[in-house]
Amino acid sequence: MRIDIISVLPELLESPLGHSIMKRAQNKGLLEVHVHHLRQWAVNEYGQVDDYQYGGGAGMVMMCEPLANAIDSLSKDRRYDEIIYMTPDGQRFEQKIANRLSLKENLLIICGHYKGIDQRIRDHYVTMEISIGDYVLSGGELAAAVVVDAVGRLLPGVLNDETSALTDSFQDDLLAPPVYTRPADFRGWKVPDILLSGDLKKVDEWRYEEALKRTIERRPDMQQE
């Protein structure tokens, strides 16, 4: 999979995409992430990529021309399955969306800034708009990193144990059950006996029951959908 990201602050993506599982995925050649500085396509020698909004009001808007030129330039080399704009008013990002995106070959992500991007880019280029929550960040870079991480870890071969991702929260419309590790008794706090029994069928039943209980308690909305 290849993911291209358009940003005015690419340095914000260096750390989240350059360590741990994302680094491993790229080193294995399973994931390519390329961050492109929007100012490469600036409208003048001063690197301008934003301007005042028509109609007045506070805040700058990312201009049509640099973004259109960036998308056109990058699209010459490949066809993007989705052109994604990270925006607070987009579709809420969920595991099912990550699963679907992990099956794609080429994604392009636009990181907004200021008051956002010119609506004409959204109307004529963007195929998918994603929000990671009902709040506003300084820019789309951190949100883009969340999407790349959630999608990248699902690619075959990225995780040491590929079945791990299948038991994550939300994969089966349930939150993950409680987990324990050694020691079995810590300060008198004991691991449930069932997990020490060696009976895999009963362990699976316990985990399902605990996952269901946790979901009903913490996210009853997931059971109503």
Side-chain angles (χ1 to χ4, degrees):
M1 167 180 276
R2 176 181 171 121
I3 301 178
D4 288 284
I5 302 175
I6 299 173
S7 165
V8 295
L9 287 172
E11 56 270 26
L12 289 179
L13 291 161
E14 292 175 1
S15 180
L17 300 182
H19 298 278
S20 190
I21 292 174
M22 289 301 97
K23 180 179 181 180
R24 183 193 312 158
Q26 294 174 78
N27 288 343
K28 286 183 175 182
L30 302 172
L31 174 66
E32 288 185 53
V33 182
H34 300 269
V35 183
H36 308 272
H37 203 311
L38 180 59
R39 296 194 192 280
Q40 296 179 62
W41 295 278
V43 297
N44 56 36
E45 60 186 285
Y46 304 108
Q48 184 179 0
V49 295
D50 62 288
D51 210 336
Y52 295 103
Q53 56 180 312
Y54 280 121
M60 307 292 277
V61 176
M62 293 174 69
M63 302 167 69
C64 262
E65 187 175 351
L67 281 168
N69 289 341
I71 297 169
D72 289 343
S73 176
L74 294 171
S75 296
K76 289 178 181 178
D77 296 323
R78 59 194 44 82
R79 177 188 172 280
Y80 290 104
D81 300 297
E82 298 284 358
I83 297 178
I84 301 168
Y85 173 46
M86 305 305 306
T87 174
D89 61 353
Q91 179 182 10
R92 188 174 66 183
F93 188 56
E94 296 180 343
Q95 188 63 48
K96 290 179 181 178
I97 298 176
N99 292 346
R100 189 166 74 246
L101 291 177
S102 72
L103 302 176
K104 306 297 185 180
E105 293 185 10
N106 296 294
L107 301 176
L108 176 59
I109 300 178
I110 302 169
C111 300
H113 256 277
Y114 318 116
K115 294 299 286 186
I117 67 175
D118 191 294
Q119 182 63 38
R120 290 167 289 185
I121 296 296
R122 299 175 72 167
D123 292 341
H124 296 283
Y125 284 98
V126 172
T127 63
M128 189 174 195
E129 299 185 340
I130 291 178
S131 167
I132 63 168
D134 295 341
Y135 46 87
V136 178
L137 299 172
S138 300
E141 284 78 11
L142 297 181
V146 167
V147 171
V148 173
D149 189 291
V151 172
R153 67 190 302 277
L154 297 173
L155 300 177
V158 171
L159 298 180
N160 290 330
D161 182 353
E162 293 183 16
T163 63
S164 176
L166 300 178
T167 56
D168 287 339
S169 289
F170 310 110
Q171 283 290 16
D172 50 5
D173 294 321
L174 294 172
L175 298 178
V179 292
Y180 300 85
T181 189
R182 294 180 178 82
D185 186 337
F186 176 67
R187 298 180 181 176
W189 307 331
K190 298 182 179 180
V191 172
D193 291 337
I194 187 66
L195 298 179
L196 307 176
S197 69
D199 189 327
L200 297 182
K201 182 179 180 180
K202 289 185 177 179
V203 168
D204 286 342
E205 291 174 352
W206 179 88
R207 285 176 171 160
Y208 174 77
E209 291 171 1
E210 289 296 314
L212 182 60
K213 177 182 176 182
R214 178 170 285 187
T215 304
I216 292 172
E217 290 177 347
R218 301 185 181 190
R219 290 292 303 277
D221 58 297
M222 292 174 61
Q223 293 297 298
Q224 296 170 3
E225 295 176 354

